[in-house]
Structures are given as structure tokens and as C-alpha cells.
Amino acid sequence: MRIILIAFVRFYQKFISPIFPPSCRFYPTCSSYMIVALKKHGPILGLIMGVARVLRCNPFNRGGIDHVPDHFTIFRNRENEREVR
């Protein structure tokens, strides 16, 4: 199942994303985050983390560096904020 989900994200990266201007507020991009989350946490938890990240990617969020944490959470990885400061 993880391979199928990653294939969907890669399809999006290759064929759908280039149609639109870059708009992700985070680094790595939301699609890259989703792939890493799926690899690191499995299909169910990784999908939940990826969807939560896409929902955070909006004009009301300042964005920034947000790598996939080692432990499951739907919230932003606070360790990355310490790296920036």
C-alpha cells in the first residue's frame, strides 16, 4: 500500500504540480514531506501526517523548515524552529 501511495504522490509531482506555480510555504515541499512520512511511518500514519501537513500549508501559516519528525504527530516539528533561530 505504501508503494501505491508513493506512486500517486510521484505522479502528482511529475504531471500535476508543474501546471501550477510553486506555492508550498514549507521546505521540504508538501509532496516530498508526504513521501518521507510514508517511508518513515508506514502507509496509515504517514498518510495522516502528510494530509495534516497539506492542511497546514495555507496563507495563515508562515511556513518554513518542517522536516518529518521521528515520532508520529500531526503538528509541526518544533525542533526545526530551533535550527532557524
Side-chain angles (χ1 to χ4, degrees):
M1 185 158 163
R2 177 184 359 203
I3 295 170
I4 294 168
L5 292 171
I6 291 173
F8 280 129
V9 176
R10 294 222 189 264
F11 177 83
Y12 167 81
Q13 286 177 326
K14 186 165 182 143
F15 297 107
I16 298 172
S17 181
I19 297 170
F20 302 104
S23 61
C24 190
R25 299 176 165 280
F26 291 101
Y27 175 81
T29 63
C30 294
S31 56
S32 297
Y33 182 97
M34 175 81 80
I35 290 172
V36 173
L38 288 167
K39 288 179 179 178
K40 193 180 263 192
H41 296 287
I44 296 171
L45 296 179
L47 183 63
I48 292 169
M49 290 178 75
V51 169
R53 166 69 179 275
V54 170
L55 293 175
R56 284 195 309 269
C57 192
N58 62 63
F60 303 108
N61 194 323
R62 64 188 168 119
I65 298 173
D66 184 26
H67 296 290
V68 178
D70 291 332
H71 302 289
F72 172 77
T73 181
I74 60 169
F75 301 107
R76 183 181 181 131
N77 189 355
R78 296 292 175 196
E79 294 176 11
N80 295 323
E81 290 181 358
R82 290 186 211 122
E83 293 174 8
V84 175
R85 293 181 184 172

